Amino acid sequence: MQNKTKVLMDESVKEPVTMTGAQALMESMVNEGVEILFGYPGGAIMPVYDSLYSYREKLNHILVRHEQGAVHAAQGYARATGRVGVSLVTSGPAATNAVTGIADAMIDSTPVVVISGQVGSALLGTDAFQETDVVGITQPVTKWNYQITRAEEIPWAISRAFYIARTGRPGPVLIDITKDAQFGLLEYKYQPMKSIRSYTPYPIIDPGQIEEAARLINLSKKPLALIGQGVVIAGAEKELTGFLEKTGIPAAMTLLGLSALPSDHRLNVGGLGMHGNYGPNIKTNDADLIIGIGMRFDDRITADTKRYATNAKIIHMDIDPAEINKIIHADAPVLGDVKESLPMLTEKVSINNHDEWLEEFNACYRVEYERLIERELYPEKPDLTMAEVVRRVSMAYGDDAIMVTDVGQHQMVAWRYFKFRQSRSVITSGGLGTMGFGLPAAIGAKLGRPDRPVVLFVGDGGFQMTIQELGTIYQSKVPVKIVLLNNNFLGMVRQWQELFFDHRYASTELINPDFQTISKGYFIPSVKVTERDKLDDAVRQMVDEEGPFLLEVVVEKEGNVFPMVPAGASVADIILE
């Protein structure tokens, strides 16, 4: 029988070509500039994987070991590159396994397109084998989702999916494709999406808002800028630097915004929030003006909102109107892409310096260094601290690696002691706090940026949640460096139990496996460090290794992360020890 389908591999062909829905999906990926897919095959997505076989030279498929890992890897890729990450999963349990990654991408504004297979359209709603209503399940945690039941819908839906995922405030999109739509024929012609009625990803900036913000800045004596991931997403790092250097305003960083400004910039006064630096927290209530730039005033930043920035006017610069006045009332909202609004604001503000105000932050840092940082980096006790490990690894890479973390104590320590020279160097789960995020995200980051070293910091708890992705590292030869900070505890939960639950360590101590044996089983070189005098040589060995490497460091068993703003307290109530 003559084959009625044809794979469109010649990009110069402009006329419609007959092909299957599965082939149309692959061709649409190529047209969107996709180079890497993270996925796991199964029955309901099998036609797509069959078509993918013919696209091996154009689309590099990374076979993960779990669907959650597929989405986290796509997130890591997206965050490291600024491009849309793509995942392929089948129906039923595969689609539900992907939900955690989708939810994580939603709250952290990560552009991801997840393609899920679905049972045939005739079986929808019959509780067929491996049928789940993934569109209904993911509606609250996607920027847009859609179910395709006809092959003809695929080019339109995919172009729309990528446009929505990457524009405005980015986010995840899920496209669910029934199996018969994958087999069905269509006349394929691709048209990239350029606009959607009723969807305005880039609000028109109101000059009046710029004028009012500039007026407040020019009147301010103690302004403080809060820098979020929105600056990184917009690619507005140079615009931010220009604004800060003209005004002389000190800048504090959120967890996801951390690398938007180099760590050693004179106006960078450190991290914000529950485990942020001492100065940015206590000085929040001394400031007379707070300028939130591409951040959302998350509860980990504000603590008790009734006692937050009590003496300050608020300027809030954000692309998402839903964030304005959601948590903190803005006296001067500036709605728009900060890539555009920051230069407009910089043009209107006066040249200034706030050196005396900046010195107050520097004085706070000296207090924090003497009371906390020095003993964390240069401890007199025999047990290794997470801080000294993180700092030595950062220095070994010239403070210029991409830092990926899992979630927990190690995440906060890495945030505090890893340093940065360039943007898109921090990849971590912020809003959702997903344990298990780190390992697959590091894989995606390294595949997206093979030109940069990628270092993962992970705890023994989070590591075991997605430890199977070591198989992906081995099979795909991904040279990720893994620093496992092992304290045999679910450390962050244990810290709260110590401080607020009278040392009742309920179900937080871990009896761990031999991680060195596991690493050997995946053919990944590794070394375990238990003594301080062995640390530098082990770090050097990791840096020198061309391929993947696991550095396991046994750290103090009951170490705590300070500073800390207790739950329900004011940011001014931050404790140093």
Side-chain angles (χ1 to χ4, degrees):
M1 181 182 295
Q2 184 179 359
N3 188 355
K4 295 183 179 180
T5 65
K6 179 181 178 182
V7 179
L8 177 58
M9 301 296 284
D10 183 356
E11 295 180 358
S12 66
V13 176
K14 300 298 182 183
E15 294 302 315
V17 178
T18 302
M19 60 175 65
T20 67
Q23 292 167 336
L25 177 62
M26 295 298 98
E27 192 60 36
S28 298
M29 295 291 173
V30 172
N31 279 309
E32 286 293 341
V34 175
E35 296 175 345
I36 299 177
L37 308 169
F38 303 92
Y40 202 94
I45 198 73
M46 203 173 297
V48 168
Y49 272 87
D50 183 65
S51 293
L52 179 60
Y53 189 84
S54 300
Y55 281 77
R56 287 171 295 169
E57 294 184 1
K58 291 191 174 185
L59 296 170
N60 179 20
H61 180 268
I62 303 300
L63 178 62
V64 298
R65 297 304 187 265
H66 191 282
E67 292 86 2
Q68 179 181 344
V71 185
H72 290 330
Q75 288 179 271
Y77 174 88
R79 297 263 288 275
T81 64
R83 304 175 67 187
V84 178
V86 182
S87 300
L88 289 177
V89 301
T90 192
S91 64
T96 57
N97 283 345
V99 172
T100 297
I102 294 170
D104 192 285
M106 184 66 177
I107 200 166
D108 281 352
S109 305
T110 306
V112 170
V113 170
V114 178
I115 308 296
S116 60
Q118 184 56 275
V119 300
S121 56
L123 294 174
L124 291 173
T126 68
D127 293 332
F129 177 66
Q130 292 192 334
E131 179 198 0
T132 57
D133 180 10
V134 66
V135 172
I137 290 170
T138 60
Q139 188 171 7
V141 292
T142 49
K143 197 175 174 186
W144 181 62
N145 67 8
Y146 186 76
Q147 186 176 77
I148 295 173
T149 58
R150 296 183 300 113
E152 295 90 335
E153 298 177 283
I154 289 175
W156 167 84
I158 296 302
S159 64
R160 187 181 178 99
F162 276 82
Y163 178 73
I164 291 174
R166 66 173 167 244
T167 54
R169 180 179 179 176
V173 171
L174 177 127
I175 302 295
D176 192 44
I177 311 178
T178 61
K179 197 167 184 178
D180 52 321
Q182 297 170 45
F183 277 124
L185 299 179
L186 74 153
E187 293 293 311
Y188 180 83
K189 188 174 183 180
Y190 198 73
Q191 184 174 352
M193 192 72 65
K194 295 182 179 179
S195 65
I196 298 173
R197 183 185 299 178
S198 77
Y199 173 56
T200 307
Y202 302 103
I204 297 174
I205 299 169
D206 182 350
Q209 293 183 342
I210 297 291
E211 292 282 355
E212 177 60 15
R215 185 185 72 82
L216 291 177
I217 290 169
N218 291 336
L219 290 173
S220 175
K221 302 300 181 184
K222 292 186 174 184
L224 175 60
L226 313 184
I227 312 305
Q229 188 188 202
V231 172
V232 177
I233 292 171
E237 295 88 349
K238 289 183 180 179
E239 290 78 5
L240 171 68
T241 303
F243 167 74
L244 294 175
E245 292 182 349
K246 182 176 181 180
T247 59
I249 295 175
M253 323 303 287
T254 70
L255 174 60
L256 298 186
L258 190 59
S259 64
L261 192 67
S263 301
D264 60 359
H265 194 287
R266 63 178 293 269
L267 294 173
N268 187 338
V269 295
L272 286 163
M274 179 172 284
H275 292 289
N277 290 100
Y278 183 53
N281 279 288
I282 66 168
K283 292 300 173 184
T284 294
N285 282 1
D286 290 343
D288 61 9
L289 180 66
I290 296 291
I291 310 164
I293 306 176
M295 52 85 69
R296 58 189 181 87
F297 290 102
D298 174 76
D299 61 286
R300 289 296 173 105
I301 298 297
T302 65
D304 182 3
T305 55
K306 294 179 180 178
R307 292 183 283 167
Y308 178 77
T310 51
N311 298 311
K313 297 285 187 181
I314 306 292
I315 297 171
H316 192 179
M317 306 178 73
D318 204 279
I319 198 170
D320 186 353
E323 292 298 338
I324 304 296
N325 296 323
K326 186 173 81 174
I327 297 172
I328 299 295
H329 172 74
D331 299 283
V334 179
L335 184 63
D337 187 345
V338 294
K339 181 81 171 177
E340 297 181 47
S341 60
L342 269 174
M344 295 171 66
L345 184 59
T346 302
E347 184 180 349
K348 296 291 184 181
V349 295
S350 302
I351 297 173
N352 204 345
N353 75 74
H354 294 279
D355 289 348
E356 291 184 5
W357 171 233
L358 181 63
E359 175 53 30
E360 292 187 33
F361 288 89
N362 294 336
C364 287
Y365 180 78
R366 290 192 290 270
V367 171
E368 183 178 348
Y369 186 87
E370 292 172 5
R371 292 180 56 185
L372 174 64
I373 295 174
E374 186 173 29
R375 61 181 171 86
E376 287 289 307
L377 293 179
Y378 309 105
E380 296 180 356
K381 54 192 172 186
D383 293 338
L384 285 156
T385 67
M386 292 187 184
E388 64 180 311
V389 177
V390 169
R391 190 70 200 103
R392 292 194 196 189
V393 171
S394 181
M395 291 172 64
Y397 285 102
D399 295 336
D400 200 24
I402 293 177
M403 178 194 80
V404 184
T405 83
D406 206 81
V407 170
Q409 283 183 317
H410 71 275
Q411 177 188 32
M412 297 294 99
V413 173
W415 174 42
R416 288 178 50 79
Y417 293 101
F418 206 87
K419 305 301 178 183
F420 307 95
R421 297 186 185 276
Q422 58 181 305
S423 188
R424 292 199 175 274
S425 294
V426 179
I427 299 173
T428 190
S429 174
L432 198 63
T434 305
M435 291 180 68
F437 172 89
L439 187 57
I443 292 170
K446 184 60 183 178
L447 289 170
R449 292 300 306 269
D451 57 315
R452 296 192 64 193
V454 173
V455 182
L456 166 67
F457 292 96
V458 62
D460 44 315
F463 189 44
Q464 293 179 83
M465 286 196 168
T466 50
I467 196 170
Q468 68 274 3
E469 299 306 334
L470 291 175
T472 305
I473 289 175
Y474 172 61
Q475 180 170 345
S476 297
K477 299 178 173 60
V478 188
V480 169
K481 312 299 183 181
I482 304 165
V483 181
L484 170 59
L485 299 173
N486 185 357
N487 59 8
N488 290 102
F489 261 118
L490 298 175
M492 188 62 81
V493 183
R494 186 214 57 78
Q495 177 169 335
W496 280 57
Q497 288 173 335
E498 175 188 336
L499 297 177
F500 308 117
F501 292 89
D502 196 27
H503 292 78
R504 293 190 296 275
Y505 297 158
S507 302
T508 47
E509 187 168 10
L510 294 172
I511 306 301
N512 286 323
D514 184 341
F515 293 113
Q516 298 297 298
T517 300
I518 292 173
S519 184
K520 183 179 180 181
Y522 283 105
F523 306 98
I524 295 173
S526 65
V527 66
K528 182 175 182 178
V529 174
T530 60
E531 299 173 358
R532 183 167 289 110
D533 60 1
K534 301 291 196 309
L535 179 60
D536 286 337
D537 286 343
V539 170
R540 192 175 303 110
Q541 183 180 350
M542 178 182 71
V543 172
D544 291 342
E545 178 65 43
E546 291 186 3
F549 192 89
L550 172 66
L551 170 58
E552 179 186 358
V553 184
V554 178
V555 295
E556 57 182 333
K557 193 172 176 65
E558 296 184 45
N560 290 329
V561 184
F562 289 108
M564 181 179 184
V565 179
S570 162
V571 289
D573 296 329
I574 188 169
I575 53 178
L576 282 171
E577 53 193 344

